[in-house]
Amino acid sequence: MLPATTNVTATETVFVGHEKDIMLLVTLIRQHASLVGLTSLDQTKLITATSELTRNMLNYADKGQVIIDQLTRGNQRGVQLTFADNGPGIADIDQAMEDGYSSGLGLGLGLPGAKRLMDEFHIASVVGQGTTVTIAKWTDE
Amino acid sequence: MERIPILKMGQFLLVTIQVDLYDRLALELEENLIRAITRHNPRGVLIDISAVSIIDSFMGRIFSNIARMAQLLDAETVVVGMQPAVAITLVELGLPLKGVRTALNVERGMDLLVNKVDTNENATSND
């Protein structure tokens, strides 16, 4: 049997430039998560990770965009979020993924904490160009 | 303007957070609460977060700050009513909520504060 392919069934892009945008973004993502059938616990994990990553983005890059994708893969449905900014980038991603490491004012839980809450986590960064973090949460099969 | 109400109830302050906090609201709550503690000299502060559906590391730090500042001003803080999904998420996130005492609901939180105050008073009278 062929491995199930992932399809995007809906997509929405939100620009974030202020801390007050976080609550609106979180409300929107909860709606998408609810529509694909994520449990209330998984919704909470997804929006908490969203809040951490959006705060990171605002702290380091001032602004950025969040792409919300509803996904299907076989019998599963999911939500994928892409946080993209044109900020300073991260020189040492391994270090940034360590618990307690922070180059800013935070607790250093943002990236590793968000990863623990998600089913999928991917980060790419180029110094001087920006950072893109992609996360996803899936329903059970 | 939105504002989290702080109620005085006997020797305690009662804070019921009915909305999800965003940064400015949370920082204002921290400031207003410390001011209220200085004004009313409560023995304890009870914060009900049963309507809060998201606590990230920023919010967690606000709660830790409030508890530590209140402690310095001789008031105990108890956070009550945390939603189960929020508790699970906090643990996976790795957020320690340092110095924050919690109770399942308002009633248990109030019991905890009353006992704490009684114990402190007995200890003082035995000196």
Side-chain angles (χ1 to χ4, degrees), chain A residues 57 63-67 82-86 131-133:
Chain A
M57 196 158 80
K63 59 186 188 304
Q65 63 172 3
V66 182
I67 303 162
T82 306
F83 301 80
D85 68 57
N86 298 315
T131 303
T132 302
V133 181

Side-chain angles (χ1 to χ4, degrees), chain A residues 2-22:
Chain A
L2 287 168
T5 48
T6 301
N7 292 307
V8 177
T9 52
T11 188
E12 191 165 357
T13 303
V14 181
F15 289 88
V16 182
H18 193 276
E19 52 102 338
K20 69 175 166 32
D21 298 341
I22 296 177

Side-chain angles (χ1 to χ4, degrees), chain A residues 31-110:
Chain A
Q31 286 170 1
H32 281 275
S34 178
L35 281 170
V36 303
L38 285 179
T39 63
S40 123
L41 174 58
D42 284 346
Q43 290 178 29
T44 300
K45 289 180 180 180
L46 187 68
I47 62 171
T48 305
T50 297
S51 182
E52 293 291 337
L53 295 173
T54 310
R55 224 181 268 292
N56 268 358
M57 196 158 80
L58 291 174
N59 282 345
Y60 292 103
D62 291 331
K63 59 186 188 304
Q65 63 172 3
V66 182
I67 303 162
I68 308 164
D69 291 320
Q70 287 185 29
L71 307 177
T72 59
R73 183 176 66 193
N75 293 328
Q76 283 181 290
R77 300 191 71 193
V79 174
Q80 174 177 273
L81 305 172
T82 306
F83 301 80
D85 68 57
N86 298 315
I90 302 169
D92 188 341
I93 288 183
D94 289 341
Q95 189 183 40
M97 290 305 298
E98 277 172 27
D99 261 324
Y101 175 79
S102 173
S103 62
L105 297 169
L107 295 176
L109 288 169

Side-chain angles (χ1 to χ4, degrees), chain A residues 19-20 22-23 26 30 40-41 44-45 47-49 51-52 55 99 105-107 109-110 112-114 116-117 137, chain B residues 20-25 53-61 83-86 88-96:
Chain A
E19 52 102 338
K20 69 175 166 32
I22 296 177
M23 275 305 143
V26 154
R30 198 186 266 283
S40 123
L41 174 58
T44 300
K45 289 180 180 180
I47 62 171
T48 305
S51 182
E52 293 291 337
R55 224 181 268 292
D99 261 324
L105 297 169
L107 295 176
L109 288 169
R116 278 194 292 273
L117 293 172
K137 197 82 188 163
Chain B
D20 275 318
L21 293 170
Y22 50 90
D23 302 26
R24 190 180 53 75
L25 201 58
S53 66
I54 173 169
I55 299 181
D56 65 1
S57 56
F58 175 83
M59 283 303 311
R61 191 169 46 188
Q83 293 177 12
V86 171
I88 294 167
T89 303
L90 277 179
V91 171
E92 286 193 17
L93 190 61
L95 200 61

Side-chain angles (χ1 to χ4, degrees), chain B residues 26-37:
Chain B
L27 290 169
E28 272 173 16
L29 172 64
E30 182 180 299
E31 195 183 319
N32 292 339
L33 194 51
I34 298 310
R35 208 173 284 152
I37 291 172

